[in-house]
Amino acid sequence: MRLAFGLGAVWLASLTIAATVIPSQNNDTDYKIGPTPLDTPWTDTVGTNPWPEYPRPRLQRSNWKNLNGVWRYRNGTEGDIKSPPFGQRLEKPVLVPFCLESALSGVTGKRHIYSWYQTSFDIPLDWLVTDRVLLNFGAVDYEATVFVNGHNATFHRGGYFEFSVDVTPYLNASGSNELIVHVFDPTDQDRTQIPVGKQTLNRGGMIWYTPCSGIWQTVWLESAPVEHVTKLDLVAEMDGKGTLIVTIYEPDTPDVKATATGISGAPFVFTVKNPELWHPDTPRLYNITVKLGSDTIQSYTGFRTVSRGVINGIQRPLLNNKFIFPFGPLDQGFWPDGIYTPPSVEAMVFDLKVLKRVGINTVRKHIKVEPALFYKACDELGLLVIQDMPSLRPDLPDPGNQCYIIRLEGPEQQKEFDRQLAMLVEQLKSYTSIFAWTIYNEEWGQDTKGLPEFRLTDLVKSLDPTRLVNAVSGWADHGAGDFDDNHHYSTPQCGTPFWSATSGLAAYDSGRIALQGEFGGVGQYAPGHTWYPDLSKQTSYELTNDTIAWNYRTHKLLSELREQTELYACSGGVWTQTTDVEGEVNGLMTYDRRVIRMDEAQWKADVFALYETAAKRAAHASQNVGMGDQSLEGLQIGML
């Protein structure tokens, strides 16, 4: 398998790194969890030093300092960025890294359009002798302006993406340093159209949820040499100078598997003999050390190839040149206590472990980007990830006729969507578990006349030729990408000779892979475990009276998908969904994660029946299996 790396570091399973948590500095004396209609088993265990783990498992250093904890907060106003509150103590406590609207933030409330954050930190003296100090943010929704000791250090736009800034020039050599962050997050205010996924300020209904504003992923400092690693990528264009030393270790041991030395600014290839391949059943990962001068980072990777090919006359997705049937849930990643931010890594991984218990091998990460540790967990547990691009707001009023709606406001909104789509691919493409990229969901923000999905498919393939691309999930499909993706509730229509003409869907395109991109959506009321106490506000595509009926109905729908796999061209399915979310009650679990609706023995049998049926369809001689004879041993390295 050919992998290309820019300089960076990733979590090493055997590495122990002690983080320094920033002192509370009396910020937390008035913090308390805000009101919420529903909590989780982890809500009361969060404390005031949340998410202490090293947050960026693709690029990890030993000298770092976690800045999560209780900061100070002030609700802002339009234009107030011209007068930052330097030297002031802001009025309210806020727990970073939780969305302002969430109970765990301690702020809660609505319409946090403009916001101020404030904290302070000290720097170990040895960091400032020869090294640079980097300030890192996992994600801030939506625009962040960062001030350090009164200096404007950086600006970042894009609510789902990590960013860093070298703050060395602004630091005090001794004593405390003031960090202030101004955030602007319009979500879907007025005619705003930015990538928001399912966040909304105003609209109710089943599939729209509480927005997430502000800092919602980990903030941390780290020390790095002047010449240091900045990025670790798969097949990326690269610049820079220096000598790169790479060491790969045997899984779960300190034994060296292979070493190589190269020059930065140009990829190079070396061979790892007889690697154990990564697969959902055997998610083998190799630890990596990368050195550039005095900078040492830790990383990991899995050896595997994703491609597509024809097997017995049918287009199929391939993993390591063999047909794999990706099946799993629509995974939205919302939490009643943290909204976009899980209360802890333990809570986040709980969801994934429940899925693995019943044999699920895939999650469709639905129009949201998760913290980096989510993808690390998928790498380790063995879950393929179909990663969606967070969608634009889908239904702006038509200025020419208020009775109609338009999908795209204009060229500036398209340009920004394109830019952030590229950021998504660049940020996540090194994770082994990423299986496919989804550009558009159900026509949301899609220019159906200009057909940008063809151009954007080419863009994604140019940035990452090692994955499949689902150009359009649901409908408004004009033939771009690797998948013919059909959404149909509650029953599946996957690669079949029948379809729903009234919904605007087209017949199955046999030139692409048939994927049931969404189906199921069977709901069940769970009194005491719902976001709204009034059950009349809880709904789904189809409802059952109890979990016995729910399991009967889900068994029937999974059996239909299995039959369509046996009889037709179905090559994968996405079930709606992992958990209930606010007004939706169609999860495999309730929103608070306290009730698992699945009869796990039945679900496991149904899931494996899907895989067994798919294996039988591919059991005979195959032809044109995509990338075919490519080596799984070449490791292509480069750096920034």
Side-chain angles (χ1 to χ4, degrees):
M1 176 178 169
R2 295 172 62 83
L3 302 178
F5 292 80
L7 270 184
V10 183
W11 186 81
L12 178 63
S14 60
L15 184 69
T16 300
I17 293 180
T20 303
V21 179
I22 186 171
S24 63
Q25 300 170 9
N26 297 320
N27 279 344
D28 61 354
T29 55
D30 54 348
Y31 166 77
K32 62 179 181 179
I33 297 174
T36 179
L38 197 65
D39 65 2
T40 71
W42 304 274
T43 304
D44 294 329
T45 67
V46 170
T48 55
N49 292 313
W51 284 74
E53 299 84 1
Y54 192 93
R56 188 184 54 207
R58 291 189 302 110
L59 201 163
Q60 181 158 321
R61 289 189 176 88
S62 58
N63 292 328
W64 72 291
K65 187 171 186 175
N66 195 319
L67 298 188
N68 290 345
V70 180
W71 295 26
R72 306 304 298 180
Y73 171 78
R74 175 183 293 172
N75 193 40
T77 58
E78 185 175 2
D80 65 356
I81 193 171
K82 297 177 182 178
S83 302
F86 300 138
Q88 304 175 31
R89 177 178 166 84
L90 303 189
E91 295 79 5
K92 296 181 181 180
V94 57
L95 186 62
V96 171
F98 294 101
C99 308
L100 293 172
E101 294 82 357
S102 73
L104 286 172
S105 76
V107 176
T108 66
K110 299 179 179 180
R111 304 190 75 83
H112 297 286
I113 309 299
Y114 299 94
S115 302
W116 289 102
Y117 286 82
Q118 175 198 57
T119 192
S120 59
F121 59 88
D122 297 327
I123 296 293
L125 290 178
D126 59 339
W127 284 22
L128 295 172
V129 175
T130 58
D131 290 356
R132 311 298 290 178
V133 177
L134 309 178
L135 173 63
N136 306 283
F137 292 82
V140 182
D141 196 358
Y142 172 69
E143 293 181 356
T145 305
V146 180
F147 300 90
V148 178
N149 292 330
H151 298 276
N152 188 330
T154 194
F155 170 82
H156 180 266
R157 176 181 293 124
Y160 297 93
F161 307 109
E162 61 194 23
F163 62 99
S164 299
V165 56
D166 183 342
V167 295
T168 312
Y170 316 122
L171 297 177
N172 296 322
S174 61
S176 183
N177 295 273
E178 183 182 51
L179 171 59
I180 289 179
V181 181
H182 180 270
V183 179
F184 170 55
D185 182 19
T187 311
D188 57 354
Q189 179 180 241
D190 301 326
R191 294 191 67 87
T192 299
Q193 192 179 41
I194 59 177
V196 292
K198 289 197 172 182
Q199 303 178 70
T200 184
L201 291 173
N202 307 303
R203 181 175 20 209
M206 185 174 79
I207 64 169
W208 307 105
Y209 316 134
T210 301
C212 173
S213 300
I215 300 171
W216 67 277
Q217 292 187 29
T218 292
V219 185
W220 78 103
L221 295 162
E222 62 187 344
S223 173
V226 173
E227 184 181 58
H228 60 268
V229 174
T230 61
K231 205 173 183 187
L232 172 63
D233 284 331
L234 290 170
V235 193
E237 297 295 331
M238 307 187 189
D239 309 304
K241 298 179 180 179
T243 300
L244 181 67
I245 302 174
V246 179
T247 304
I248 297 181
Y249 301 88
E250 294 283 3
D252 305 318
T253 78
D255 298 335
V256 174
K257 176 77 170 177
T259 61
T261 301
I263 302 299
S264 65
F268 69 96
V269 176
F270 69 95
T271 298
V272 178
K273 295 183 178 179
N274 302 316
E276 297 181 53
L277 303 187
W278 187 94
H279 186 278
D281 296 338
T282 54
R284 305 301 291 173
L285 298 172
Y286 287 81
N287 300 321
I288 298 174
T289 298
V290 178
K291 294 184 178 181
L292 175 68
S294 60
D295 193 21
T296 300
I297 58 174
Q298 305 297 332
S299 182
Y300 73 92
T301 194
F303 288 85
R304 55 93 189 92
T305 298
V306 175
S307 58
R308 61 181 273 201
V310 178
I311 298 179
N312 298 330
I314 300 175
Q315 289 282 340
R316 300 295 196 187
L318 306 176
L319 181 64
N320 301 331
N321 297 327
K322 296 180 180 179
F323 173 31
I324 188 167
F325 191 94
F327 176 78
L330 198 73
D331 194 80
Q332 306 215 56
F334 274 77
W335 296 79
D337 47 11
I339 309 300
Y340 252 20
T341 311
S344 65
V345 172
E346 176 190 5
M348 180 180 68
V349 174
F350 171 83
D351 284 3
L352 303 178
K353 288 182 175 179
V354 169
L355 302 179
K356 286 293 290 188
R357 283 207 308 255
V358 297
I360 282 170
N361 66 8
T362 301
V363 293
R364 179 184 171 197
K365 179 42 59 183
H366 191 41
I367 51 181
K368 181 198 175 190
V369 182
E370 291 290 354
L373 292 172
F374 172 90
Y375 302 96
K376 168 189 167 250
C378 291
D379 290 346
E380 292 181 331
L381 292 172
L383 281 164
L384 300 170
V385 178
I386 300 172
Q387 176 64 53
D388 290 6
M389 171 63 189
S391 61
L392 300 172
R393 173 183 177 181
D395 55 357
L396 287 154
D398 187 342
N401 185 339
Q402 290 297 309
C403 295
Y404 295 93
I405 60 172
I406 59 174
R407 289 303 196 192
L408 184 68
E409 178 75 332
E412 290 303 311
Q413 287 72 19
Q414 181 70 64
K415 182 179 179 181
E416 185 61 25
F417 180 85
D418 297 0
R419 185 185 74 89
Q420 294 192 33
L421 173 63
M423 292 169 66
L424 171 77
V425 177
E426 292 285 2
Q427 179 167 311
L428 297 181
K429 65 185 182 181
S430 289
Y431 290 102
T432 304
S433 53
I434 299 289
F435 183 72
W437 306 102
T438 303
I439 299 174
Y440 286 111
N441 178 73
E442 294 183 353
E443 201 179 333
W444 297 356
Q446 180 184 354
D447 176 7
T448 56
K449 295 180 180 179
L451 308 185
E453 62 267 28
F454 286 93
R455 174 180 56 81
L456 294 178
T457 296
D458 291 341
L459 170 65
V460 172
K461 293 274 190 180
S462 70
L463 296 173
D464 178 20
T466 71
R467 304 317 203 292
L468 301 176
V469 176
N470 190 357
V472 174
S473 183
W475 48 81
D477 183 1
H478 305 98
D482 295 303
F483 293 92
D484 181 294
D485 179 336
N486 172 19
H487 294 185
H488 194 261
Y489 290 100
S490 295
T491 59
Q493 292 180 348
C494 183
T496 66
F498 48 88
W499 69 97
S500 300
T502 56
S503 69
L505 299 177
Y508 165 58
D509 173 6
S510 61
R512 293 178 295 159
I513 299 164
L515 176 68
Q516 188 64 52
E518 294 181 25
F519 81 115
V522 179
Q524 182 255 331
Y525 294 138
H529 302 278
T530 59
W531 180 254
Y532 298 111
D534 183 355
L535 292 183
S536 68
K537 294 184 178 181
Q538 311 293 316
T539 189
S540 186
Y541 300 96
E542 183 179 315
L543 288 163
T544 60
N545 286 344
D546 51 44
T547 55
I548 294 175
W550 185 89
N551 278 284
Y552 168 81
R553 184 63 178 140
T554 59
H555 168 68
K556 289 297 183 183
L557 295 177
L558 291 174
S559 296
E560 284 193 46
L561 188 70
R562 184 196 59 76
E563 290 170 356
Q564 292 172 14
T565 303
E566 179 179 33
L567 297 173
Y568 304 117
C570 186
S571 291
V574 177
W575 180 273
T576 300
Q577 57 185 325
T578 302
T579 71
D580 298 349
V581 184
E582 300 195 359
E584 286 190 77
V585 290
N586 50 23
L588 304 177
M589 294 176 277
T590 54
Y591 196 23
D592 60 5
R593 276 74 170 175
R594 286 187 166 93
V595 177
I596 298 175
R597 290 191 176 94
M598 293 181 291
D599 177 329
E600 292 193 34
Q602 174 192 298
W603 263 78
K604 189 171 184 177
D606 287 338
V607 169
F608 278 95
L610 288 170
Y611 302 154
E612 290 168 359
T613 299
K616 288 179 181 177
R617 290 295 307 270
H620 303 295
S622 61
Q623 53 186 339
N624 301 331
V625 287
M627 299 168 78
D629 296 330
Q630 78 161 353
S631 170
L632 293 167
E633 296 184 352
L635 187 62
Q636 182 176 338
I637 307 292
M639 70 176 175
L640 275 176

